[in-house]
Amino acid sequence: MNPKLLIFFNTIKERGIDSERERKILKELQDDGIHEIPTESSRTMDKESKAPFRRSDDIYEYNDFSTLQSMPTLRGLSSNSLQSLDELLERDNQREKDGFPRKIRVGRLIKPGRGGKEKIVVVPTTVEEKFLHDIHFDPSEEEPVAGGAGEGEEGEIIGEQPVHEENGSGTGPGEGSGGPHEVESSAYDLGRILSEQFELPNIKDKGKKRFFSHYTYDMTDRNRGVGQFLDKKATLKKIVETNISLGNIPDIGDIDPSRFLISPKDKIYRILSREKKYESQALIFFMRDYSGSMQGKATELVVTQHVLVYSWLLYQYEKRVECRFILHDTEATEVKDFYTYYNSRVAGGTKVSSAFQLANKIVENENLAQDYNIYVFYGTDGDDWDTDGKEAIPEIEKMLTYSNRTGITIAEHMYGTDGGTEVEKYIKNSGLLEKNPDLLRLDVMKEDSDEPRLIEGIKKLISQAG
Amino acid sequence: MELIDQHTKKIMEGCKERARKMGLRFHDETLEYIVTNRDLLELTPKVMIPTLYDYWVHDVEVLKEKGKYELYPVNPYETVINTRPAISFYNDNNPDWLNVMIFYHVLAHIDFFQNNLYYRHTWDYDFTGQALSDKREIARLRSQNGRWVDYVIEFARGVDNLAGYHSELSRLSHSVAETSSKRLNFYFDVFIQTINKLSIHEYIKEIERYNDCMKKYKERGEQIFFSEVELKHPENKELFRKSLEKKPEGKEDIIQFLMEHSEFLNKEENKWIKSILQIVRNTSLFFQPQIRTKIMNEGWASYWHETLFLLDDRIKGHEVEFARLNAGITSIPRVGLNPYALGMRLFYYIEEMVDKGKYNEIFQRIYDVNERDRFDKDTKQGREFIFKVRENYCDSMFINSFLDQDFATRNKLFVTGMRLNRDKMVYEYYIKSRKLEDYRKVLLDSLYHPPYIEIDKEKNQNNTLYLNHRFEEKPLVNEFIANTMMGIEYLWGGTVQLETSEVAAPAPPQGQYPTFMYPQAQAVQEESDEPGIKWQRVLYTMKDRKLSKETI
């Protein structure tokens, strides 16, 4: 157990906490997991080595094509349907209008690569609902079982598999199923799908504008003699000028244009010019709780939402957004890329304030507020050792002074009661939401929410009017 | 897709000749196509049937973690499909010796398709042709009714796994079995047993009397037999007449029931929906046998490709390559279940048992291991017997009947368990049990088994369709219930109710924080807390596209 945490625990204990809280906190405190990123090799290994416990599909997994002819087991790749993606979405829209729930989910997408080389997989997916036995349900067994054959006594260990992505955020949504069938597409494609739906709110002109390799083309440059477009006014002026200097206009009260001498050089043309474009910039902080309590779906939900936001930003604002990534348990750290942000495993205790504190510090030290539109997306399960938000609320208040929008997502655990999480309670009690409806948004969802709900959540976080 | 060349076709014909000599039976005509990856891409969503109807879900990745093969009772990568003529697909650059092996495998599959009784309903027509006309029909309806066709397909597919596969089979085999007159059947099956309630002794006497009459009077035997019956039971004739008026109570599955009784579907403007339901139902029925005979089918094919390949004189010099590949296909994995390996070994095992005359009482009474081992009656009937097995069994019967302790011992079968070792942070696989029952349970549990849901006609009141799920210790996938029921509601045109079982809401476990627990730890907790799960019957009601639930 980390002694520093213990001290912290004792201080909050002195402030008084109920037994339920204490239990939760102790649980995190005693959990000795570490944050780590599943290594690339272990992930591919897991995928290739036939995970032995895929239960019922074992028998049916075999097929003549791969077994006899070693032909790859391809499926209709999403690349085939990608052109028709718009059509599919259109169909889904229509479905909703016809009074049936939507059926297509877009962007079961993953695969952040190292060093900013995110590969995002856009796969339109769906399920075919039927009455089926829930094969994963088996109360009588405390552990999964499978067939086997060979030497050995009962009880003998015949193999080991490292606990990799079973635990924490390594397994992104849909990764397991997508497996070898995925097609790698750029984040751009996902962004394209999402783009119609959102827009960054409150974007303002701020200080330093940044030049991008963006140009606009305009007919602003003038050229004498040749060009694309005759600027009549300028040409006429020039002609008059020339004729005055030639003494060809004796009486300015009575000008006879038919007597003008016109030199080819007098013709002023507009030509196409390349203009540099400067645009307001945005800086996005992605922050998430990776404490022990985030285990499982809560993390999945938060990172999925952040992937959605991230890929949308990449598309919509291209390089006009910079992203920073912050992870926190009881202490916050900034990580260098989305990959690390996405994949780091959960462990440790929870102190929400730490993340906001770090973001505030970064903004202050680097003087970012002056030049950037700053947006913050924060995801948590709503659990916080700092029960009343005594430390978090001031940090959030401080953040509101410079940020254009702070969006907090709470993925509530299933066993939680409605409106019961600490973070939700203290944010609501603080009155910040009412005071700054345009700057602070809070979205609470259950951890088993689906993608449409996530997207709705994003809309809520970034919509313009309250 | 193109046909294989003449050279390869000749090899195939040679294989057919040799396979026939060994007793395999199949139609003369077959079609073999070369497929590229691109072809496969297009074929697999259509479960290898090139002419299957178009449906947008085929274009989308379908998430299957939940139901996997429960959703599609068919392997999308079959090399050979059950059509007339049977069509099989091949890689472009297979060497000849490999093609020989695959051809034998394919021929054994075709033999299985065309002789196993679970495929009975697919014997009388060519599915590719049927599928093509269905596809055209659906295309035509789509041009008339637009997107509603796709909704109907979706809703119909929502219940296509409940199609009455077994009653379809029983209907087909029944018509074959019916050799005696209806009146006779009524007399012996209904009248004597349920109306007159004769004892077994008297029943047998009646049969004897009937046989005597037939012997004595030949053609007029039955008439004379009944004239005596009428003397004793004058009511018999009238009852028989009445029984004929009553419609035979065939079991209807949900799709049939909807087509027959839904007021909505029977409106003139909605009649087209019924043809879609019919198509979806037939398609589902066509695919059902494949998944119910996976172990047998692959075992049978492996048995024969091995047996026939080794006897084939054309492939001399490729024994080693064959041995390597074949070992890869048919070895029992250390962990997991391989249908090729298991099925093939079972067929060999059954053949041996019968050859030695071990399937009889005398053998079963022997407990001495050595004596059991030596037992050999040399019946030479093994081969014949496995042909009967391939004709009459499906996977679950196959496992239940033949996977016994001797087989398990010989192949060293065991059940693997998995547990977390927290010190090393690894999952450990260990030998959990070598008991036959445990192994059989794992195997049988992994077989395809759709839920049994029937229509409770007595509770169908006020245009409400009442479905009753016969509970088999496994709940339904909860998140699928709403949409499935919504589909049925649409097709039924009224309220739909589903009675099923669920776990009684567990009290939040005390003193633990579930998400923190690793799944294993949680399970241990459960085990110590409550040994048994409490089930309760619940009633889902779908009304106006809104789902509600109450506990019964």
Side-chain angles (χ1 to χ4, degrees), chain B residues 73-90:
Chain B
V74 62
N75 187 330
Y77 311 108
E78 284 309 342
T79 284
V80 49
I81 54 175
N82 176 22
T83 50
R84 303 285 178 283
I87 296 176
S88 45
F89 305 100
Y90 302 88

Side-chain angles (χ1 to χ4, degrees), chain A residues 53 64 69 95 98 126 128 130 132 134 143 146-148 150-152 154-156 158-161 415, chain B residues 60 63 72 75 91 147 151 154 157 160-161 294 336 340 412 414 416 424 427 429-431 434 475 477 513:
Chain A
F53 284 97
D64 285 353
Q69 310 201 40
R95 214 183 134 81
D98 290 333
T126 189
E128 287 206 270
K130 294 182 190 209
L132 298 175
D134 193 343
E143 59 192 35
E151 303 293 338
E154 279 189 17
E156 203 172 301
I158 53 173
E160 287 177 353
Q161 183 189 30
Y415 53 80
Chain B
V60 185
L63 294 178
Y72 291 104
N75 187 330
N91 198 343
R147 61 184 185 277
Y151 296 144
E154 177 194 326
R157 284 167 69 113
D160 71 352
N161 59 332
K294 177 81 181 175
Y340 297 80
K412 306 193 178 87
F414 61 78
T416 321
K424 289 162 83 178
Y427 284 116
Y429 299 110
Y430 67 103
I431 299 174
R434 282 197 177 272
V477 175
Y513 194 33

Side-chain angles (χ1 to χ4, degrees), chain B residues 138-318:
Chain B
I138 284 183
R140 187 183 66 83
L141 291 172
R142 205 176 261 129
S143 70
Q144 287 169 6
N145 301 289
R147 61 184 185 277
W148 294 93
V149 170
D150 291 278
Y151 296 144
V152 171
I153 296 177
E154 177 194 326
F155 300 150
R157 284 167 69 113
V159 285
D160 71 352
N161 59 332
L162 308 179
Y165 167 64
H166 288 105
S167 42
E168 193 72 19
L169 282 181
S170 112
R171 188 177 62 77
L172 281 167
S173 41
H174 217 71
S175 56
V176 179
E178 216 160 303
T179 49
S180 44
S181 80
K182 280 184 180 161
R183 179 150 192 206
L184 198 68
N185 285 342
F186 174 75
Y187 182 70
F188 279 105
D189 296 349
V190 186
F191 186 76
I192 299 191
Q193 292 183 45
T194 57
I195 302 173
N196 221 3
K197 290 193 180 137
L198 294 189
S199 69
I200 295 177
H201 176 66
E202 288 166 302
Y203 183 90
I204 293 170
K205 258 172 100 181
E206 276 300 287
I207 291 180
E208 274 171 10
R209 195 173 68 78
Y210 172 77
N211 288 340
D212 283 349
C213 285
M214 293 304 282
K215 235 186 253 166
K216 251 193 245 167
Y217 307 106
K218 308 279 186 261
E219 286 94 60
R220 292 175 57 227
E222 194 170 312
Q223 202 188 337
I224 288 164
F225 172 76
F226 273 112
S227 62
E228 202 166 310
V229 170
E230 274 165 43
L231 275 177
K232 258 197 235 167
H233 307 287
E235 75 277 19
N236 171 278
K237 202 172 182 177
E238 183 60 20
L239 285 172
F240 171 63
R241 205 180 51 77
K242 267 190 190 162
S243 82
L244 284 182
E245 281 169 11
K246 240 199 267 169
K247 252 194 177 171
E249 270 217 9
K251 272 206 168 172
E252 287 174 310
D253 59 46
I254 293 187
I255 299 183
Q256 285 174 313
F257 185 85
L258 289 169
M259 289 198 290
E260 190 70 28
H261 302 285
S262 161
E263 281 174 32
F264 173 73
L265 294 188
N266 285 304
K267 279 182 196 158
E268 194 53 41
E269 70 268 26
N270 294 329
K271 286 258 161 84
W272 60 272
I273 295 179
K274 293 216 279 188
S275 40
I276 294 182
L277 292 189
Q278 193 66 54
I279 289 169
V280 170
R281 179 171 182 274
N282 284 343
T283 309
S284 164
L285 287 177
F286 172 81
F287 286 125
Q288 297 261 342
Q290 247 117 322
I291 196 156
R292 295 174 198 266
T293 56
K294 177 81 181 175
I295 297 175
M296 283 184 77
N297 204 343
E298 292 302 355
W300 183 250
S302 301
Y303 174 98
W304 283 108
H305 85 234
E306 189 173 285
T307 307
L308 289 167
F309 187 92
L310 293 175
L311 291 173
D312 197 311
D313 50 338
R314 296 172 296 174
I315 43 80
K316 288 268 181 296
H318 293 285

Side-chain angles (χ1 to χ4, degrees), chain A residues 132-404:
Chain A
L132 298 175
H133 283 139
D134 193 343
I135 52 169
H136 296 286
F137 180 88
D138 202 340
S140 62
E141 280 167 26
E142 83 265 30
E143 59 192 35
V145 289
E151 303 293 338
E153 297 293 314
E154 279 189 17
E156 203 172 301
I157 292 166
I158 53 173
E160 287 177 353
Q161 183 189 30
V163 184
H164 271 298
E165 42 192 34
E166 260 77 9
N167 184 1
S169 66
T171 48
E175 182 165 50
S177 70
H181 321 139
E182 292 160 346
V183 137
E184 282 159 3
S185 164
S186 63
Y188 201 74
D189 280 315
L190 178 63
R192 189 164 60 86
I193 298 159
L194 299 170
S195 63
E196 293 156 46
Q197 315 194 20
F198 328 116
E199 207 176 314
L200 269 184
N202 305 341
I203 205 151
K204 289 173 199 150
D205 274 353
K206 278 208 179 182
K208 184 178 96 186
K209 287 191 181 172
R210 188 165 167 188
F211 162 71
F212 301 94
S213 50
H214 262 286
Y215 295 93
T216 50
Y217 289 88
D218 212 344
M219 302 288 242
T220 44
D221 281 9
R222 292 175 180 180
N223 193 28
R224 293 174 72 174
V226 287
Q228 280 118 349
F229 180 77
L230 184 72
D231 187 338
K232 290 178 189 150
K233 196 172 170 184
T235 305
L236 201 58
K237 266 180 167 169
K238 197 72 198 167
I239 293 170
V240 171
E241 209 175 280
T242 312
N243 281 284
I244 287 175
S245 58
L246 288 173
N248 202 19
I249 303 178
D251 178 9
I252 52 164
D254 176 29
I255 294 174
D256 178 6
S258 60
R259 292 187 55 245
F260 278 177
L261 294 172
I262 299 169
S263 134
K265 274 272 181 193
D266 287 341
K267 288 185 181 166
I268 309 279
Y269 288 91
R270 295 276 179 100
I271 58 165
L272 205 58
S273 69
R274 203 160 82 145
E275 307 274 326
K276 286 179 179 176
K277 199 173 161 189
Y278 295 87
E279 289 174 56
S280 310
Q281 300 179 74
L283 178 72
I284 318 282
F285 280 100
F286 284 106
M287 315 200 296
R288 77 173 170 98
D289 179 358
Y290 70 156
S291 68
S293 64
M294 290 290 286
Q295 182 101 31
K297 283 200 159 173
T299 291
E300 210 171 276
L301 203 66
V302 167
V303 293
T304 308
Q305 191 174 45
H306 287 180
V307 168
L308 286 170
V309 174
Y310 182 64
S311 47
W312 156 63
L313 287 169
L314 278 185
Y315 170 78
Q316 188 87 339
Y317 294 87
E318 285 185 65
K319 288 172 186 141
R320 284 159 56 202
V321 286
E322 284 175 27
C323 297
R324 307 283 287 255
F325 308 99
I326 294 174
L327 292 163
H328 82 86
D329 47 11
T330 43
E331 277 168 31
T333 43
E334 184 177 0
V335 293
K336 60 182 186 312
D337 54 21
F338 195 70
Y339 178 85
T340 318
Y341 178 74
Y342 185 91
N343 283 304
S344 294
R345 189 166 295 156
V346 300
T350 320
K351 213 164 128 190
V352 173
S353 59
S354 61
F356 288 92
Q357 206 172 2
L358 180 64
N360 287 341
K361 213 170 96 191
I362 293 172
V363 171
E364 202 173 321
N365 290 351
E366 301 179 21
N367 200 11
L368 297 169
Q370 193 192 326
D371 293 334
Y372 289 90
N373 289 285
I374 295 175
Y375 299 88
V376 181
F377 293 99
Y378 174 68
T380 175
D381 60 351
D383 189 40
D384 192 356
W385 289 9
D386 170 22
T387 313
D388 315 317
K390 285 202 180 74
E391 289 160 48
I393 291 295
E395 294 294 339
I396 295 175
E397 270 175 343
K398 193 169 164 196
M399 179 172 279
L400 294 180
T401 58
Y402 63 80
S403 81
N404 296 46

Side-chain angles (χ1 to χ4, degrees), chain A residues 287 305-306 352 356 376-380 382 393 396 399-400 405-411 423-424 426-427 432-433 439-445 457 460-461:
Chain A
M287 315 200 296
Q305 191 174 45
H306 287 180
V352 173
F356 288 92
V376 181
F377 293 99
Y378 174 68
T380 175
I393 291 295
I396 295 175
M399 179 172 279
L400 294 180
R405 177 65 59 85
T406 301
I408 299 176
T409 304
I410 299 177
V423 176
E424 186 180 353
Y426 67 61
I427 289 183
L432 287 174
L433 285 168
L439 295 181
L440 182 67
R441 291 284 166 81
L442 175 71
D443 185 36
V444 183
M445 59 179 101
K460 193 168 167 189
L461 297 183

